Amino acid sequence: MVGTMMDLESSPLERGNPRARSMEEYRALYRQSLAEPERFWSEQARTLSWFHPPYSILDVDLEEVDFSWYMGGRLNASFNCVDRHAAVKPGKPALVWAKNEPGEYKVYTFRELKHHVGRVANVLKAHGVRKGDRVCLYMPMIPETVFAMLACARIGAVHSVVFAGFSAEALRERILDAGSEVLVTANEAPRGPKKVALKAIADAAIEGLSQVRSVLVARRTDAEVPMRPGRDHWLDEEMGKHRSTCPITWVASEDPLFVLYTSGSTGKPKGVMHTTAGYLVYAAMTHAHVFDAQPDDVHFCTADIGWITGHSYVVYGPLANGVTTVLLESTPNYPDAGRLWEIVDDLKAATVYTAPTALRALIAAGDEVLSRSIRASLRVLGSAGEPISPEVWQWFNDKVGSGRAAVVDTWWQTETGGVMITPLPGVTPCKPGSATLPFYGVDLALLDDEGRVIDGGDVNGNLCVTRPWPGQTRTLYGNHRRFRETYFNRFPSFYFTGDGCRRDEDGYYWITGRVDDVLNVSGHRLGTAEVESALSRHDVVAESAVVGFPHPIKGTGIFAYVVLRPDVHVESKEQLIGALKEQVRHMIGPIATPDRIHMVPGLPKTRSGKIMRRILRGIAAGEREGFGDTSTLAEPTIVEAIIDRVASQE
Ligand code: WTA
């Protein structure tokens, strides 16, 4: 039986399916989750507090690619993350903000969080935000960001957080796509040694855009910024005008909670949409089981709120479970590579959840800083977003955790809402480099290119999920057709992840990387088509092709082949490369800046005009021969010509 709001006394962590303490228990519960999904997910829904419990667990329409979970239920994500904990433990820290400067923290209790969220919710209402409206958040890692997300949820509005590293152009595109009329931003954002002029970027993004009625500006620094009368308002002044109590808007299980843009294989970003009940059940459950969360834990996820990891494991998962969560404003190497471990000691964090790219940068900075901290509070070390190499895994385990903490390599995606393949700490025997085994309810299959399921061990294929799970994306905002085509057309009735994967003889999964044109650069997901379309907006560019190449810190670097227009006369190659990089920064943001740009006489294309990226990836990785069959190329000699150009520019 799914409980109702009255169940406030017991911790959500004490409810739901029990945690496995052994592989036998994991296997038994995993089997049950697939054999009796309704029973399993009904039990799990007890971890939430419902205004009205659901009357059914899952309804699927495969033709329409429509999934609905917990139908008939009414609830509110903000109530689940804030109010129900404030009711029983008002003085418990909910949010610890680790400011940019070392040693500076600000703690918000659940009661304080409730009041701030309530005030921001009232401000949003005063600015005309209603249930279902999309509010754009272009925010740094400050408490107001969390308040604003939960404030949206409180009134049934849908937040669309745009990573603060995106450019004005990219922000504008996302505001337009989501139809956001209210934008929340900050005057400035300290980030390590730098300051990002967020308001100025936001101004440029909405220049001439009457769609945006109100801009609410959080005051992070003393910097004065131009405020357009009637449109721009300081968030603190607005909050001062409103009370801290804001009634909850109960929403239906499948009402949208947020839209989050991510990259795909076309130039246009996709507005991945997550709905309320299924997402929250899944984020909370995975947070509890993957990190073996305890009520008094301090959970430290270093991800930016602009990405799914920030949504699920800085905000919704831990807060739904009533666990104290840390919000990190600085970068992991500011002021030096000891920063994360200093925070771990200061806050007695039980977990650190970060990305391999951060770990690689810390390793490169040397181990001396580790001696400044003891890190004895750590129980679980998590990694997500890209493959973690066995060496980096070992360093995390041996050096950071001193062999005492469990390392969990978690595989998942913006579209999956929460972790899908993961070890359970202290339970699953690990193999460094493998995300190990599927989480409860997650039924995986490897398919060959013809769509046949490949059974058994020691096999390679396209990683698919065979049945719905509660955290699954329901649609792409405003474009259900693209949703179907992107994820369900390639292998009908399977959700296709876009990743290649190996399964070994023990059934362990080893992600081999994207098989589509998506790159994972420093753990940030980017489409090669996005970078290409940014390059092609420069006058001199006739066409371009962008591929990834192995990069020691970023994991994958960006390598761009550019064909210039025939009439272009290049005076300085350096200047042109600089201008092209600037073009990409302007269109997308600094994270998309190509590491290498090479002018080439042409691209290797088949006779039907398709670019053979395999060859370009090989050249970018330093290969000079062995490209296999190139006879289908319209102009086979182009390969040599490209190699010569790349070699001469090295
Ligand atoms: C990759 C991030 C290997 C993968 C949470 C996936 C990983 C993409 C892992 C999603 C992992 C994520 N090992 N690769 N543990 N986790 N990936 O949407 O290619 O930003 O498809 O979500 O990151 O990136 P996204």
Side-chain angles (χ1 to χ4, degrees):
M1 238 311 268
V2 174
T4 62
M5 248 175 38
M6 300 309 144
D7 288 351
L8 291 182
E9 289 309 315
S10 65
S11 156
L13 291 171
E14 293 160 14
R15 296 184 243 145
N17 291 288
R19 308 245 178 106
R21 295 289 162 217
S22 64
M23 276 309 271
E24 290 66 43
E25 286 180 15
Y26 158 74
R27 290 198 191 280
L29 194 54
Y30 179 72
R31 266 196 306 274
Q32 193 227 322
S33 73
L34 298 189
E36 298 176 89
E38 305 242 331
R39 183 173 138 201
F40 181 87
W41 290 115
S42 159
E43 179 65 22
Q44 200 52 39
R46 296 196 328 108
T47 59
L48 297 190
S49 298
W50 300 78
F51 179 70
H52 187 285
Y55 53 69
S56 79
I57 301 303
L58 172 62
D59 180 59
V60 181
D61 179 341
L62 273 184
E63 278 70 45
E64 300 297 329
V65 191
D66 185 76
F67 312 106
S68 54
W69 286 85
Y70 302 117
M71 291 298 286
R74 293 191 84 76
L75 77 168
N76 182 286
S78 188
F79 180 87
N80 274 279
C81 290
V82 185
D83 300 51
R84 62 171 176 163
H85 311 303
V88 286
K89 291 197 170 158
K92 179 176 177 176
L95 185 67
V96 182
W97 182 33
K99 295 193 197 183
N100 196 47
E101 296 308 320
E104 292 184 13
Y105 300 98
K106 188 157 185 200
V107 178
Y108 295 85
T109 63
F110 276 103
R111 177 192 282 129
E112 288 164 339
L113 182 61
K114 181 179 169 193
H115 290 173
H116 289 294
V117 169
R119 264 187 233 282
V120 177
N122 284 325
V123 171
L124 292 175
K125 279 205 223 170
H127 284 266
V129 177
R130 300 284 173 264
K131 181 169 183 279
D133 291 351
R134 283 79 47 215
V135 177
C136 183
L137 272 49
Y138 186 63
M139 295 287 277
M141 293 292 280
I142 58 175
E144 286 83 351
T145 311
V146 179
F147 305 159
M149 290 168 81
L150 294 167
C152 287
R154 193 168 193 90
I155 60 174
V158 180
H159 56 72
S160 165
V161 181
V162 177
F163 174 58
F166 278 120
S167 70
E169 282 289 333
L171 174 59
R172 184 185 184 91
E173 190 180 11
R174 286 155 178 77
I175 289 173
L176 283 171
D177 190 81
S180 301
E181 297 176 1
V182 172
L183 171 65
V184 189
T185 187
N187 56 346
E188 252 191 343
R191 184 118 174 108
K194 295 190 226 147
K195 283 204 173 100
V196 186
L198 280 192
K199 173 66 164 61
I201 302 172
D203 282 340
I206 58 173
E207 176 71 41
L209 209 67
S210 58
Q211 173 188 310
V212 177
R213 286 194 312 268
S214 302
V215 179
L216 301 166
V217 185
R219 203 189 299 269
R220 172 59 185 96
T221 68
D222 295 333
E224 283 304 324
V225 290
M227 298 289 280
R228 178 180 297 186
R231 187 194 71 182
D232 301 351
H233 309 267
W234 288 104
L235 182 61
D236 55 356
E237 288 172 11
E238 293 297 288
M239 285 170 77
K241 294 182 198 158
H242 291 275
R243 58 173 65 181
S244 53
T245 309
C246 173
I248 296 275
T249 301
W250 302 107
V251 303
S253 292
E254 284 295 341
D255 280 341
L257 179 60
F258 64 85
V259 172
L260 183 58
Y261 284 87
T262 190
S263 297
S265 48
T266 71
K268 199 171 148 43
K270 307 183 279 198
V272 164
M273 188 197 274
H274 284 286
T275 56
T276 305
Y279 169 80
L280 201 59
V281 165
Y282 199 71
M285 181 182 195
T286 47
H287 167 258
H289 288 248
V290 173
F291 297 99
D292 193 23
Q294 305 298 323
D296 292 324
D297 279 356
V298 172
H299 174 70
F300 181 20
C301 169
T302 69
D304 194 283
I305 290 226
W307 308 111
I308 190 68
T309 313
H311 281 57
S312 299
Y313 301 111
V314 176
V315 181
Y316 288 109
L319 290 180
N321 287 330
V323 167
T324 306
T325 189
V326 179
L327 186 69
L328 172 66
E329 188 178 41
S330 90
T331 59
N333 44 20
Y334 179 76
D336 65 32
R339 185 68 195 275
L340 297 184
W341 323 130
E342 179 186 309
I343 294 174
V344 166
D345 278 8
D346 286 351
L347 304 179
K348 305 276 177 293
T351 56
V352 166
Y353 192 27
T354 191
T357 187
L359 297 175
R360 289 191 296 265
L362 299 184
I363 291 172
D367 291 350
E368 301 80 60
V369 291
L370 283 168
S371 60
R372 291 205 318 252
S373 56
I374 53 168
R375 306 174 304 285
S377 55
L378 287 174
R379 290 198 324 270
V380 183
L381 306 172
S383 166
E386 42 167 340
I388 181 166
S389 70
E391 299 73 42
V392 174
W393 192 103
Q394 213 63 55
W395 182 84
F396 207 14
N397 185 74
D398 300 352
K399 297 291 169 60
V400 176
S402 308
R404 290 185 307 254
V407 172
V408 291
D409 171 9
T410 62
W411 175 88
W412 59 298
Q413 311 179 296
T414 307
E415 294 88 342
T416 69
V419 169
M420 300 286 278
I421 307 181
T422 179
L424 297 176
V427 173
T428 314
C430 287
K431 302 188 189 187
S434 166
T436 76
L437 299 168
F439 190 69
Y440 302 119
V442 174
D443 197 6
L444 301 172
L446 299 182
L447 272 68
D448 68 16
D449 287 342
E450 279 69 53
R452 288 178 298 242
V453 173
I454 315 170
D455 288 320
D458 203 12
V459 292
N460 247 301
N462 296 293
L463 181 65
C464 293
V465 190
T466 68
R467 57 165 93 194
W469 67 100
Q472 175 172 32
T473 302
R474 301 297 192 268
T475 193
L476 296 179
Y477 184 76
N479 201 342
H480 195 63
R481 185 193 188 141
R482 186 172 177 206
F483 177 66
R484 286 161 67 157
E485 286 171 359
T486 308
Y487 305 104
F488 297 90
N489 266 16
R490 177 79 204 280
F491 304 111
S493 90
F494 291 90
Y495 165 79
F496 176 39
T497 63
D499 278 319
C501 186
R502 187 171 82 83
R503 186 173 49 223
D504 71 14
E505 24 329 293
D506 298 324
Y508 278 46
Y509 288 85
W510 301 74
I511 305 295
T512 53
R514 301 287 305 196
V515 296
D516 55 8
D517 298 322
V518 170
L519 304 179
N520 223 309
V521 181
S522 300
H524 300 153
R525 192 166 146 184
L526 288 168
T528 54
E530 282 172 274
V531 184
E532 287 162 8
S533 93
L535 286 168
S536 66
R537 295 277 286 269
H538 196 290
D539 294 341
V540 302
V541 177
E543 59 176 341
S544 66
V546 167
V547 296
F549 72 102
H551 187 286
I553 302 291
K554 295 181 172 185
T556 303
I558 302 179
F559 196 112
Y561 297 87
V562 172
V563 183
L564 300 181
R565 288 185 192 284
D567 49 339
V568 175
H569 173 67
V570 181
E571 288 202 348
S572 153
K573 202 172 274 166
E574 285 66 45
Q575 249 174 27
L576 180 58
I577 290 176
L580 290 173
K581 287 187 176 175
E582 183 47 41
Q583 173 75 15
V584 176
R585 268 195 286 270
H586 174 73
M587 297 296 297
I588 308 176
I591 52 169
T593 313
D595 297 277
R596 295 179 61 179
I597 297 184
H598 289 279
M599 318 301 171
V600 290
L603 299 171
K605 289 187 186 167
T606 60
R607 270 173 229 117
S608 57
K610 200 168 163 348
I611 297 174
M612 283 182 86
R613 290 174 181 275
R614 175 174 59 81
I615 295 176
L616 296 177
R617 277 194 288 266
I619 297 174
E623 293 165 22
R624 295 294 176 256
E625 52 194 14
F627 296 119
D629 184 12
T630 52
S631 62
T632 55
L633 286 177
E635 229 187 301
T637 55
I638 196 72
V639 178
E640 278 308 311
I642 295 173
I643 291 176
D644 285 350
R645 281 296 181 87
V646 170
S648 73
Q649 288 169 36
E650 262 166 0

